[in-house]
């Protein structure tokens, strides 16, 4: 497959690599050598040391799923606004998955869930220059055709498991990137309200009673009532409204 036809800049440079450690690492190394064009996509057939959020790893069966990174230069964003980019990217992937799996949700901060199971994880690594974001490496792991997952993964799923169909990986990559570009352009056009609103409308467990866990293991029940400007999850519980970053709370149910 050549490069994408329905995008303005995402995937106009498309690097397909057979095997590598991590597409995010590959993007970091490209950025350290020269200035790849904005929208460069690096996609791996096999990713052997995939990185997840908060130091976790991302496991994926070679040739079955999408593991890719996109390079953006969102210099128009100041550091404290960076969560809007997470929201936009998550919504972009969600927009694609939703038309295949109607029961999809965005799970804070930026996973996609289908029928209470994780189908996609996103790892965005920003570098700053002064108060502004200089580069953003948007890494996406989307489970597409994988049917068996290691026991160690808590609740994985894939497009194949949800629909019974096999998907063409190149086509999925192109379509997901189209959706991501549309959402990125909304951020660039300063359309934050729309993104924040749609993120909340599609947020997993929003306004529902759910069980959460503090890092020490203590659990509590509460209700997600919003997301702060800096991307903290706001939960109403016995003690009132408390806000959390991703290291400070875990969903249980
Ligand atoms: C998470 O859910 O913890 C985020 C997982 C992100 C995985 C993707 S796969 C492509 C890109 N390269 C990486 O090393 N990680 C991201």
């Amino acid at each position: 497959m050549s490069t994408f036809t329905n995008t303005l800049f995402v995937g106009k440079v498309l690097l397909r690599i057979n095997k590598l450690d991590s597409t995010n690492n590959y993007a970091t190394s490209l950025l350290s050598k020269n200035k790849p064009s904005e929208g460069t996509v690096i996609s791996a057939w096999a990713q052997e040391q995939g990185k997840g959020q908060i130091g976790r790893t991302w496991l994926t069966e070679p040739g079955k799923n999408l593991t890719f990174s996109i390079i953006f230069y969102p210099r128009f964003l100041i550091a404290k606004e960076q969560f809007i980019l997470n929201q936009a990217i998550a919504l972009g992937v969600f927009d694609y998955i939703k038309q295949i799996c109607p029961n999809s949700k965005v799970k804070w901060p930026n996973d996609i869930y289908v029928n209470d199971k994780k189908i996609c994880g996103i790892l965005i690594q920003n570098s700053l220059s002064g108060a502004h974001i200089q580069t953003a490496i948007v890494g996406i792991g989307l489970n597409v055709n994988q049917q068996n997952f290691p026991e160690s993964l808590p609740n994985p799923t894939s497009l194949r498991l949800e629909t019974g169909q096999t998907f063409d990986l190149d086509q999925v990559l192109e379509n997901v990137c189209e959706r991501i570009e549309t959402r990125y352009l909304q951020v660039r056009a300063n359309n934050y309200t729309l993104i924040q609103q749609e993120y909340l409308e599609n947020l997993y467990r929003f306004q529902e009673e759910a069980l959460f866990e503090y890092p020490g293991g203590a659990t509590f029940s509460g209700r997600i009532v919003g997301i702060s400007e800096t991307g903290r999850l706001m939960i109403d519980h016995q003690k009132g409204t408390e806000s959390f970053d991703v290291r400070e709370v875990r969903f249980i149910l």
Side-chain angles (χ1 to χ4, degrees):
M1 192 188 69
S2 53
T3 60
F4 305 156
T5 44
N6 291 327
T7 54
L8 293 171
F9 65 99
V10 172
K12 295 296 174 190
V13 176
L14 173 56
L15 306 175
R16 308 169 151 285
I17 317 273
N18 187 29
K19 202 196 278 185
L20 44 58
D21 59 346
S22 147
T23 57
N24 274 31
N25 288 353
Y26 195 94
T28 306
S29 107
L30 282 184
L31 283 161
S32 72
K33 290 185 199 126
N34 51 31
K35 191 168 180 265
S37 48
E38 180 159 48
T40 293
V41 173
I42 301 119
S43 176
W45 184 83
Q47 175 175 259
E48 297 186 321
Q49 285 172 54
K51 303 195 294 184
Q53 285 172 37
I54 44 174
R56 298 199 190 109
T57 50
W58 182 257
L59 300 172
T60 181
E61 196 180 324
K64 291 281 168 89
N65 301 317
L66 288 179
T67 44
F68 66 102
S69 301
I70 312 175
I71 296 173
F72 288 106
Y73 300 114
R75 295 197 191 92
F76 48 87
L77 284 179
I78 53 173
K80 65 172 194 201
E81 294 172 326
Q82 51 192 298
F83 193 64
I84 196 74
L85 183 64
N86 291 59
Q87 291 179 296
I89 301 295
L91 275 179
V93 182
F94 166 82
D95 292 337
Y96 172 77
I97 295 174
K98 170 95 181 165
Q99 27 131 38
I100 297 167
C101 307
N103 198 12
S104 306
K105 290 278 172 193
V106 177
K107 178 169 172 280
W108 175 86
N110 47 15
D111 293 338
I112 310 299
Y113 266 43
V114 176
N115 290 321
D116 296 317
K117 290 184 230 116
K118 180 161 168 169
I119 198 162
C120 175
I122 301 173
L123 176 66
I124 301 181
Q125 296 179 278
N126 293 326
S127 77
L128 305 178
S129 166
H132 287 256
I133 301 185
Q134 176 97 343
T135 64
I137 297 171
V138 170
I140 295 171
L142 172 59
N143 296 332
V144 180
N145 292 324
Q146 186 165 343
Q147 286 179 278
N148 299 300
F149 289 89
E151 296 255 315
S152 58
L153 299 181
N155 53 354
T157 192
S158 65
L159 291 178
R160 169 78 212 248
L161 285 177
E162 294 301 321
T163 61
Q165 293 165 35
T166 306
F167 290 79
D168 177 329
L169 287 178
D170 288 341
Q171 196 58 58
V172 177
L173 178 64
E174 181 163 1
N175 293 151
V176 172
C177 285
E178 287 165 11
R179 301 296 193 139
I180 289 175
E181 182 181 271
T182 302
R183 291 293 182 175
Y184 183 80
L185 293 174
Q186 288 175 349
V187 181
R188 211 164 74 178
N190 224 352
N191 214 341
Y192 296 2
T193 315
L194 175 83
I195 291 168
Q196 285 158 342
Q197 203 175 309
E198 287 193 44
Y199 182 91
L200 277 188
E201 273 166 19
N202 296 295
L203 186 64
Y204 185 66
R205 294 272 191 262
F206 183 54
Q207 296 287 16
E208 288 172 24
E209 205 63 25
L211 199 60
F212 300 90
E213 187 184 81
Y214 289 113
T219 59
F220 65 97
S221 74
R223 218 159 30 92
I224 298 173
V225 290
I227 306 287
S228 78
E229 288 249 315
T230 54
R232 292 173 72 86
L233 186 69
M234 292 159 64
I235 302 177
D236 256 3
H237 61 119
Q238 236 182 3
K239 291 191 225 153
T241 306
E242 203 179 348
S243 81
F244 299 86
D245 84 13
V246 73
R247 286 172 204 81
E248 296 167 341
V249 74
R250 194 172 74 86
F251 276 88
I252 302 188
L253 280 174

